[in-house]
Each structure stands twice: as structure tokens, then as C-alpha cells.
Amino acid sequence: MTEKTIFKRIIDGEIPADIVYEDEQCLAFRDISPQAPVHILVIPRKEIPSIDHLSDEDEQLVGHIYLVIKQIAAGEGLENGYRVIVNCGKEGGQTVDHLHFHLLGGRGLSWPPG
Ligand code: AMP
């Protein structure tokens, strides 16, 4: 049995998080190390390690997560725009092996990323 990720522990209520939204499919909470005035992580409750591990049955789930992100962004007052990032794998900068969508906003964001 592999060890639970930190995000699975948040889902299971074992460690605290500043949760801003939750439903039967996903959970959203503020990033512990915010890179912008608004930095929220949206994660599926289902344990999917990364984009690379998505399967056809996850199609609805991913679409649902984007609609949740849109709703959270509106609630956070990000009418001037925001960015959604999903890091995948080592070279993609992924550090937690549970699929997560970064919602960043509240300041002008430069491009390209590092
Ligand atoms: P990534 O580098 O794309 O895997 O993103 C992982 C993100 O999780 C980073 O932005 C971390 O700051 C964030 N993070 C790690 N542990 C926690 C935690 N306990 N609560 C909230 N955010 C966390």
C-alpha cells in the first residue's frame, strides 16, 4: 500500500485546509504557499495521480472541475482574468502526486512561465 498524498489526507479530513468549495466530486482550498493574491487548488476526490493517469471515464469529472473553477473565480472577484495551471510530472514541476488545478489571479501574470 503506497502512502497517502497530502491532498488525499486533506480529502479525508486528516489535515486542515482552508476549503473554499466542495461537492461530491471535488474539493478546492487555498494554496499553503500562494503565488498570487488568489491561489486556489481544485482537486478531484478520486485519486488520480496526474493528467497522465486520466482515462475516458474521467472526461465528465475534468469538465466539471473547469466549471467549478469558473464559479470560484467569479466568487473571488477575478473579473479581469486569471490563470489555470496543471503541472504534470517531474519536468512539469508537479510535486504532489494527486491531480490538481491551480487557480491563480488577483495580479497581472507574466508569460511565459519559468
Ligand atoms: P505542484 O507543484 O503543481 O504539484 O503544486 C503543489 C502545490 O500544493 C504547491 O503550490 C504547494 O504550495 C501546495 N501545497 C502543498 N501542501 C499543501 C497543503 N497542505 N495545503 C495547501 N496547499 C499545499
Side-chain angles (χ1 to χ4, degrees):
M1 184 88 181
T2 52
E3 233 178 72
K4 276 187 190 183
T5 66
I6 193 104
F7 292 170
K8 176 61 176 161
R9 294 186 66 200
I10 289 173
I11 291 168
D12 290 346
E14 293 173 6
I15 57 168
D18 186 358
I19 294 170
V20 297
Y21 175 90
E22 60 182 316
D23 63 25
E24 68 289 346
Q25 294 188 83
C26 66
L27 191 66
F29 51 90
R30 296 194 191 278
D31 197 292
I32 205 166
S33 176
Q35 302 302 311
V38 175
H39 187 174
I40 290 168
L41 301 172
V42 185
I43 68 173
R45 290 186 185 277
K46 181 178 175 184
E47 286 185 274
I48 302 168
S50 77
I51 287 185
D52 260 350
H53 298 81
L54 285 169
S55 60
D56 289 351
E57 70 176 25
D58 300 318
E59 206 171 332
Q60 183 277 335
L61 173 62
V62 173
H64 175 72
I65 286 174
Y66 271 99
L67 291 174
V68 166
I69 288 169
K70 175 186 155 181
Q71 188 181 319
I72 294 171
E76 294 287 324
L78 302 180
E79 59 276 341
N80 291 325
Y82 53 88
R83 187 172 291 166
V84 179
I85 297 173
V86 184
N87 296 324
C88 181
K90 197 170 164 227
E91 290 202 352
Q94 184 176 5
T95 59
V96 179
D97 292 333
H98 184 116
L99 181 63
H100 51 283
F101 296 68
H102 295 257
L103 166 60
L104 292 152
R107 66 169 171 86
L109 299 163
S110 60
W111 192 264

